[in-house]
Amino acid sequence: MKQHKKCVYCDEKLVGRSDKKFCDAQCKSAYQYQQTKLQPQRFYTKVDNQLKLNRKILKEYNRGGKVTVREALLVDKGFDPNFFTHYWKNQKGEVYLFVYEFGFLKIKERNNEKYVLVLWQEYMSK
């Protein structure tokens, strides 16, 4: 009795090798994507995605090199200040947190929470 195997993804009848699992490359790719979506997101992936989002947001709002923006504006876009790559402390003792080349410092101005956004400068390396 000959057994007809079916594609793991779309249930189409398979023709060809006896160990074949998918009818074509699209079904294989779709199946692998589906399996990845079912798995819990790895910690590294979560951190990497948040860093990328933070960098994108800081880049979008800091076009002049140094600018002040409301905290709520960044947070509404998905910014999370707990994710940063490094920091720099100035002579006043203020600690700027950086997401790659884009830095931010939380300040309070007239009872409003704000961020001072800066770009990494060469003198900060010293």
Side-chain angles (χ1 to χ4, degrees):
M1 184 159 120
K2 191 171 185 178
Q3 195 175 27
H4 294 288
K5 291 179 77 175
K6 293 184 177 183
C7 176
V8 175
Y9 184 72
C10 71
D11 280 339
E12 289 290 321
K13 181 180 167 185
L14 295 177
V15 178
R17 294 177 22 192
S18 62
D19 62 343
K20 194 171 183 180
K21 293 181 181 180
F22 303 97
C23 56
D24 59 25
Q26 287 82 10
C27 278
K28 182 178 181 181
S29 179
Y31 177 80
Q32 290 172 340
Y33 178 75
Q34 183 184 54
Q35 293 304 305
T36 302
K37 295 287 278 180
L38 295 175
Q39 295 174 357
Q41 196 175 28
R42 295 187 344 245
F43 179 73
Y44 166 81
T45 307
K46 288 180 183 179
V47 171
D48 191 46
N49 288 341
Q50 187 61 54
L51 285 172
K52 287 176 183 175
L53 179 61
N54 281 359
R55 183 184 182 280
K56 178 183 170 189
I57 293 167
L58 292 173
K59 182 179 180 182
E60 179 182 338
Y61 285 94
N62 188 358
R63 296 181 186 229
K66 183 176 182 184
V67 67
T68 304
V69 296
R70 288 178 288 121
E71 176 188 33
L73 186 65
L74 299 181
V75 171
D76 287 346
K77 294 278 188 173
F79 181 77
D80 186 340
N82 296 312
F83 291 84
F84 57 92
T85 56
H86 59 289
Y87 67 92
W88 174 72
K89 190 174 185 178
N90 68 10
Q91 291 176 344
K92 296 178 189 174
E94 299 168 323
V95 178
Y96 285 80
L97 303 176
F98 279 82
V99 181
Y100 304 107
E101 73 273 31
F102 296 99
F104 59 97
L105 171 69
K106 189 170 186 174
I107 61 170
K108 194 165 195 165
E109 193 175 86
R110 293 186 287 255
N111 284 339
N112 292 319
E113 299 289 330
K114 295 184 178 186
Y115 285 113
V116 176
L117 307 182
V118 297
L119 284 174
W120 181 262
Q121 303 295 317
E122 192 61 39
Y123 69 85
M124 296 174 176
S125 298
K126 299 171 185 170

